[in-house]
Amino acid sequence: MSSADLRKPTFSSPGCESSLVGRDDELSLAGRSLAALADGRGGILWIEGEPGIGKSALAAEVERRATTIGVDILRGSGDALLQPFPLRLMAACLGVPGRGEQATGPDATALSEIAELLGGRQPRADVADPVLAAAERMLDLIDRRCARGPVLLTVENLQWADHFSLQVWNRLAYAVDQVPLLLVGVLRPGPSRPAVERLRATALGLGGVLVRPGPLSDRAAVQFAAQVIGAAPGPRLRVELARAAGNPRYLNELLRALAEAGLIAARDGVAEFDGAAGVTPGSLTAAIGRRLDFLDPQTLDALRTAALLGTEFDAGQAAVAAGLPVLLLAHAMAQAKAAGIVVAGGERMAFRHELVQQVLVEQFAPPARRVQRARIAQLLAQGGAGVEAVAAQLMADSAVPGALAGLDEPAGPSGLVGPAGPRRPAGLDDWAVDWLAGLPLYALYAALEVSAELLTRAVRPLEPGTLRWDALAGRLAQVLLLLGQDDDLIEFASVAAGLTGDPVLAAQLRLTVVRAAGRNGRPGFAVDMARQALAQPDLPLRLRARLEAWQSVAHTVAGESPEGREAAHRALTEARTSQDPLAVAYAHHATALCATTAEGIGHIDEALSMLGSDAESTDIRVLFTHDRLIRLAQLGRIPEYEAALPAALMLAERVGTPRATSLFGAAAQVAFRRGDWDATRRHLKNVDPAYLSAPGGFHLHGLGAIEALHRADRTRATAHLAAVEAVIGPGLKTAVPRAVYIFEARALLAEAEGEPARALALLATWLDTPPGLRRDERLDEAPTLVRLALAEGEPDVARQALEMIEAAARAEPLILRLTAARFCRAQIKDDVAELTAIAEIYQTQGWPLHAGAAWEETAVRLARVGEVVPARGTLTRAVRTYADLGAEWDVRRADGRLRALGVRRGPRSAHSREKTGWGALTASEAHIARLVGAGWSNPDIAAELSLSLRTVQTHVSNILAKLQLHSRLDVVRAIAGTDAAGAEPPVRVSRLDLPI
């Protein structure tokens, strides 16, 4: 081959066609998901694979095809540098405006509100946690966009997503069965992040489609190369291509490097490698580095600085960081854009490929990179950049585990007041400490995990007791309290309180410890810490009152009722004298815990009336609202409870606070006792998993297990109980806080497994519980305990249980306590007439499971004395009550007990409610189905019916399951078809009839 016959081939970046060579199977999977989306059905595409394998190209093709059918496209990409900052990924997907930008379009108002929440720009009177509140508004916004038409939401680099964006993605994954939303997650394998692994399991468990592009075959690699270089690769070039191992990105870079080095020549449509084997660049990084060498020095320096800002960056911030006028930076970026290194989109710019950004970052030696980041952070702070931009530089390259590797479990402040450990980062520079101390407190709430980390680094090297240390230590304690990192807070604030020379700050720090220890199951420690704080002289009266109030709460939780009442009385007197609204509210809360259920309602109402509009008040308002709901149900004031519940759940979503999830727990408890087990599951589904794993919320797994066991769903029950063991271990003592439902669930499982003696032993632990809240929480176990004790020949245990429930009823004669006491005594006395009366009371009060149990006990005693016919009729009534609930286990137990006594039901004696079709819908679901059929969005339905968005979403999921439909569009078609046929609509109910 003569040199005259050779020519350098035309080299082009891989286009859509070449990038998708060999991807027919993957495109087929994606095509089916798009077809379903066009038909109104959502779904999940989970695309994973090694870097450069073609994941992004596949996602881009899905977006291109979606655009052709009118789908609304939302997209964003995770960034390792921004991983510590909550909701930044979802904000990018939705186009939330940055500082100085204005939102436009139909969603401008919602986007601006989200930007305010995430930017920490100003405090909000109705928001406790701005991040959680912003997440709820994002979910609302996406739901509204889905109501306008199908939506495709693509997230690349999901492995680098911030924790809260993963939570939003998870919530959306549960909604794709009811809205036209296709979620596309793109990620590479790597070090496992628990949150990402859980999200993957959820996505695939919900029917998500897994797409895993593998290496291109040799034939596909040759075809790819031919399209890129415009000529068919010859034999020697094919050998070189094998070095890329079928990875499209490496193939492209390899071909580019060979072409630029003049090592590929073409003749007669065939491109051949023209060099010695092995001279091909062995390092892709080196190849990329050579691509940057032609840039002028100023442009290259500007790109290196911009690379430190992340894969995406703000042009104005890049100019500040580079120390260049905006016009000069614009000129440099124009050159970089022309070279295909960056892409621009308004004020935001991005590196075309993350590998380019990585190479630029690595051109700084680690020590120089840290110095450069510190300089950039200071320049950005001086230029008025937001907390996120400055903190990102201060957090980057941190030695703290979790700083960049994921904040699923943020590093705690161990050793804050001692020498820095070898794995802890150095403290912040003086300017950064002053910047952090000068920020408005509400600005820290927009990124609590990051704020905790920066405050930790700022506090450690300072001399304890100095003014700067005091200011930052107080802020850190408050941030940890809001984060719910109780162990870390207790460890830090307990020591810090003894180091500060400011007695007021010391008392404030101890107050945070009292609250954290109380909710963390350590009431005794909380009492001791409160005593230390109250022993300090010259405490401001408002602070003394607050301490007394929370000390009272700790006493009461620990079962020390007299001490709790005394402390509550002192707190209320001092709070009223101080005229501090928050102290008065705390004192009323403490008094309510010591008072009877009826009296407590009045104190809670007083407490609610005293709360202001600050973040602390808003958070506490949720706690008081939770307590009020529980008490209304205990008093049997169900109409008031049902009227208050929707507003409470809407409050939980609006204010955004981890405590708000307890409201869903309260709703689940009441729904179970009142026999609405679908609502129980619905509300439990809305409880944050983090709350279920905490000492204050794990008991709700017990409730979920009880509901599942009554429905004979042992698999689901076992999963709930396994989750409990993950929190507290296999052993369960009576001293474990919030053990309500756990003993009952384990006992029910033991009985279902044919071990009634073990069930009795588990329930009998109640008899050893000291007086106080923990004993009262388990009062509902008494009738079952008596039944098992009598069956196992333990009459003394039954009588002891009767004495305890009667003492509780005398102390506070609530209708349900009085009835439970009567139920226990009637079982012991074998009083058939009394058992019949008790069943009627339970039925009237709306506790159907207990009514069924009373009918069952009546039937057993009738059968024992030979009254077969009345026993059969009473058994039938019990079974029908159980069947209406779906309590299959109870039906089996009742049938088994009576069969042993010679009594059998007739084959048609029990009816079962419809499980599918329009007749299976509850009144609430039926009405919501009509609104869905009329084209209403979930947010609009929530507003119309005064429900929370989560409640509506779960209703719609239930509707689709019961009607055996696939999408909201199917509901529209079903109702439209009925109306067109002139038939009576399947549902037509008044809003006033909804028992929601």
Side-chain angles (χ1 to χ4, degrees):
M1 185 182 297
S2 67
S3 60
D5 295 327
L6 302 176
R7 64 178 178 81
K8 189 174 182 179
T10 301
F11 187 89
S12 62
S13 297
C16 182
E17 182 181 357
S18 57
S19 297
L20 295 171
V21 166
R23 299 301 185 211
D24 292 344
D25 291 343
E26 291 87 347
L27 287 172
S28 177
L29 290 172
R32 287 198 287 271
S33 295
L34 279 176
L37 182 65
D39 196 40
R41 286 179 281 135
I44 304 171
L45 274 178
W46 189 270
I47 306 175
E48 62 183 24
E50 66 181 68
I53 203 66
K55 305 183 299 296
S56 296
L58 183 60
E61 175 62 10
V62 173
E63 290 183 3
R64 187 192 68 79
R65 295 185 182 186
T67 302
T68 64
I69 58 175
V71 173
D72 184 9
I73 307 294
L74 304 174
R75 74 177 335 273
S77 179
D79 189 323
L81 191 64
L82 295 180
Q83 189 177 314
F85 298 92
L87 292 178
R88 288 322 187 257
L89 175 54
M90 288 306 305
C93 291
L94 290 171
V96 175
R99 293 176 68 89
E101 299 177 356
Q102 293 293 325
T104 58
D107 301 322
T109 301
L111 291 172
S112 297
E113 184 178 12
I114 294 170
E116 286 184 6
L117 290 167
L118 294 181
R121 300 172 193 173
Q122 59 183 0
R124 288 286 300 268
D126 60 343
V127 168
D129 186 322
V131 174
L132 295 180
E136 293 297 339
R137 285 155 177 78
M138 287 179 173
L139 291 163
D140 182 287
L141 176 56
I142 292 172
D143 209 315
R144 291 184 183 279
R145 293 182 75 147
C146 289
R148 298 200 294 259
V151 174
L152 172 68
L153 193 156
T154 302
V155 173
E156 294 213 52
N157 290 317
L158 196 59
Q159 74 278 359
W160 289 333
D162 62 87
H163 179 65
F164 286 95
S165 289
L166 291 176
Q167 288 186 329
V168 170
W169 211 94
N170 183 72
R171 287 274 300 278
L172 292 172
Y174 279 101
V176 296
D177 66 337
Q178 58 179 270
V179 294
L181 171 66
L182 178 59
L183 293 174
V184 180
V186 184
L187 75 163
R188 65 178 60 172
S192 176
R193 283 180 64 197
V196 177
E197 289 300 318
R198 288 194 297 269
L199 186 62
R200 184 184 192 275
T202 296
L204 300 184
L206 292 171
V209 177
L210 176 62
V211 181
R212 303 181 69 177
L216 297 178
S217 66
D218 292 343
R219 179 178 180 183
V222 170
Q223 184 181 355
F224 178 95
Q227 292 183 1
V228 170
I229 61 179
R236 295 184 64 196
L237 181 55
R238 294 184 187 186
V239 172
E240 294 298 315
L241 294 181
R243 302 180 65 188
N247 185 294
R249 181 189 303 161
Y250 298 164
L251 275 171
N252 180 58
E253 294 297 338
L254 178 62
L255 289 167
R256 182 186 292 274
L258 292 174
E260 290 178 352
L263 297 177
I264 298 180
R267 178 183 179 186
D268 297 332
V270 176
E272 189 57 276
F273 175 62
D274 188 20
V279 303
T280 308
S283 167
L284 184 59
T285 299
I288 294 173
R290 282 196 298 274
R291 287 178 58 193
L292 301 172
D293 286 344
F294 73 93
L295 297 172
D296 65 60
Q298 187 179 61
T299 297
L300 191 54
D301 285 344
L303 285 173
R304 289 194 186 102
T305 301
L308 294 175
L309 297 177
T311 306
E312 295 186 8
F313 56 93
D314 179 273
Q317 291 179 1
V320 172
L324 292 174
V326 174
L327 289 178
L328 284 180
L329 181 88
H331 175 74
M333 290 300 112
Q335 185 183 13
K337 182 179 178 183
I341 296 171
V342 300
V343 292
E347 293 295 317
R348 301 291 296 176
M349 308 193 76
F351 288 93
R352 184 177 293 277
H353 199 289
E354 65 193 50
L355 274 179
V356 177
Q357 185 243 358
Q358 178 183 337
V359 168
L360 288 165
V361 169
E362 291 177 353
Q363 288 180 355
F364 292 99
R369 186 161 65 237
R370 284 192 289 271
V371 171
Q372 184 73 349
R373 287 196 185 280
R375 186 187 70 83
I376 291 174
Q378 186 172 9
L379 289 171
L380 291 175
Q382 292 171 348
V387 175
E388 175 185 322
V390 179
Q393 297 302 311
L394 295 175
M395 292 282 290
D397 301 321
S398 170
V400 179
L404 288 179
L407 284 174
D408 304 320
E409 297 179 3
S414 301
L416 273 174
V417 291
R423 297 184 65 198
R424 305 296 301 184
L428 301 178
D429 293 336
D430 284 345
W431 74 264
V433 173
D434 292 337
W435 168 77
L436 196 58
L439 286 173
L441 190 59
Y442 58 78
L444 299 175
Y445 295 163
L448 285 170
E449 291 91 346
V450 171
S451 297
E453 183 57 52
L454 291 178
L455 287 165
T456 297
R457 294 175 59 181
V459 166
R460 182 176 294 102
L462 297 178
E463 182 68 26
T466 61
L467 290 176
R468 296 169 88 200
W469 186 90
D470 283 353
L472 293 171
R475 287 184 161 213
L476 177 57
Q478 187 65 28
V479 166
L480 292 174
L481 182 68
L482 291 175
L483 267 175
Q485 293 184 11
D486 294 332
D487 290 336
D488 291 335
L489 171 58
I490 292 168
E491 178 185 355
F492 164 62
S494 299
V495 177
L499 296 176
T500 178
D502 183 345
V504 173
L505 175 60
Q508 290 172 334
L509 289 169
R510 290 190 174 105
L511 176 57
T512 63
V513 173
V514 171
R515 294 179 59 184
R519 70 186 181 191
N520 201 29
R522 300 169 62 184
F525 182 79
V527 169
D528 291 340
M529 187 59 64
R531 284 174 179 156
Q532 289 183 42
L534 290 166
Q536 299 297 315
D538 302 324
L539 276 182
L541 192 58
R542 63 174 181 81
L543 194 53
R544 177 173 292 277
R546 294 184 185 187
L547 281 162
E548 291 275 19
W550 287 107
Q551 182 187 40
S552 168
V553 172
H555 275 306
T556 303
V557 171
E560 300 165 351
S561 299
E563 295 88 341
R565 282 191 291 270
E566 291 175 11
H569 177 72
R570 290 194 301 270
L572 194 53
T573 301
E574 291 166 349
R576 285 169 171 165
T577 303
S578 72
Q579 297 184 333
D580 176 43
L582 203 53
V584 174
Y586 290 163
H588 276 296
H589 169 58
T591 306
L593 291 179
C594 303
T596 65
T597 304
E599 293 170 345
I601 289 270
H603 285 288
I604 291 173
D605 288 339
E606 287 285 342
L608 287 168
S609 70
M610 297 303 299
L611 294 176
S613 58
D614 56 287
E616 169 74 358
S617 292
T618 305
D619 180 56
I620 293 297
R621 184 181 299 278
V622 176
L623 170 63
F624 296 169
T625 302
H626 167 275
D627 291 350
R628 189 174 190 276
L629 288 174
I630 292 294
R631 289 170 184 268
L632 285 172
Q634 290 173 337
L635 290 169
R637 292 159 59 175
I638 299 305
E640 290 179 67
Y641 167 84
E642 291 181 338
L645 180 62
L649 298 183
M650 292 175 70
L651 169 71
E653 289 187 349
R654 189 180 73 248
V655 303
T657 167
R659 192 192 302 277
T661 195
S662 66
L663 289 172
F664 292 106
Q669 295 174 60
V670 177
F672 175 76
R673 296 307 178 196
R674 295 192 58 74
D676 189 352
W677 292 356
D678 287 343
T680 299
R681 292 191 65 182
R682 182 173 71 243
H683 292 310
L684 287 178
K685 180 180 176 182
N686 289 328
V687 175
D688 188 339
Y691 180 77
L692 290 174
S693 300
F698 74 88
H699 66 286
L700 292 175
H701 275 303
L703 177 61
I706 292 169
E707 178 265 330
L709 285 166
H710 280 294
R711 283 180 158 172
D713 187 348
R714 198 173 301 182
T715 300
R716 186 158 54 87
T718 302
H720 275 296
L721 290 175
V724 172
E725 292 190 2
V727 179
I728 61 174
L732 186 62
K733 310 292 185 184
T734 56
V736 173
R738 306 304 300 275
V740 58
Y741 302 128
I742 307 300
F743 289 100
E744 186 180 347
R746 288 182 173 175
L748 188 57
L749 178 59
E751 189 177 6
E753 293 176 342
E755 299 183 55
R758 181 160 64 91
L760 174 60
L762 284 164
L763 290 184
T765 57
W766 172 56
L767 304 177
D768 300 324
T769 308
L773 286 180
R774 292 177 189 168
R775 177 189 286 184
D776 290 349
E777 284 177 339
R778 296 181 59 189
L779 286 173
D780 199 42
E781 298 171 20
T784 304
L785 175 55
V786 168
R787 172 176 66 79
L788 287 169
L790 294 175
E792 291 300 301
E794 297 283 355
D796 290 343
V797 173
R799 282 191 290 270
Q800 188 179 353
L802 173 62
E803 291 172 3
M804 289 180 65
I805 186 64
E806 287 186 332
R810 286 193 299 271
E812 187 171 6
L814 299 173
I815 180 64
L816 296 175
R817 282 191 187 182
L818 292 168
T819 308
R822 289 177 62 183
F823 191 8
C824 291
R825 180 170 289 279
Q827 289 186 77
I828 293 173
K829 286 180 163 291
D830 291 328
D831 190 335
V832 171
E834 178 72 346
L835 286 170
T836 301
I838 289 164
E840 296 290 358
I841 292 173
Y842 277 134
Q843 199 75 48
T844 302
Q845 290 294 318
W847 282 40
L849 184 63
H850 290 69
W855 290 124
E856 180 183 338
E857 295 306 315
T858 305
V860 166
R861 282 152 181 82
L862 287 169
R864 284 176 182 168
V865 297
E867 297 285 346
V868 175
V869 174
R872 181 180 295 117
T874 307
L875 171 62
T876 298
R877 189 161 186 180
V879 168
R880 284 179 175 172
T881 303
Y882 289 146
D884 285 341
L885 289 169
E888 294 181 21
W889 151 245
D890 300 87
V891 170
R892 296 174 192 172
R893 183 192 63 234
D895 276 341
R897 293 177 70 192
L898 271 296
R899 189 181 304 116
L901 296 171
V903 176
R904 294 176 180 270
R905 291 183 292 115
R908 302 179 184 276
S909 59
H911 67 275
S912 59
R913 58 184 178 181
E914 295 180 60
K915 294 184 178 180
T916 60
W918 292 102
L921 300 184
T922 66
S924 306
E925 292 166 348
H927 188 63
I928 290 173
R930 291 294 298 180
L931 295 179
V932 170
W936 288 44
S937 70
N938 284 351
D940 289 335
I941 294 172
E944 168 69 12
L945 301 182
S946 299
L947 299 175
S948 72
L949 178 60
R950 295 191 196 200
T951 298
V952 174
Q953 288 175 331
T954 48
H955 271 310
V956 174
S957 291
N958 290 340
I959 291 167
L960 293 174
K962 290 178 180 180
L963 298 183
Q964 298 180 305
L965 300 176
H966 298 292
S967 69
R968 300 170 73 93
L969 187 57
D970 289 341
V971 178
V972 174
R973 292 167 178 160
I975 292 181
T978 303
D979 291 343
E984 181 68 17
V987 285
R988 191 178 300 281
V989 295
S990 166
R991 179 179 172 185
L992 298 177
D993 296 332
L994 297 180
I996 297 177

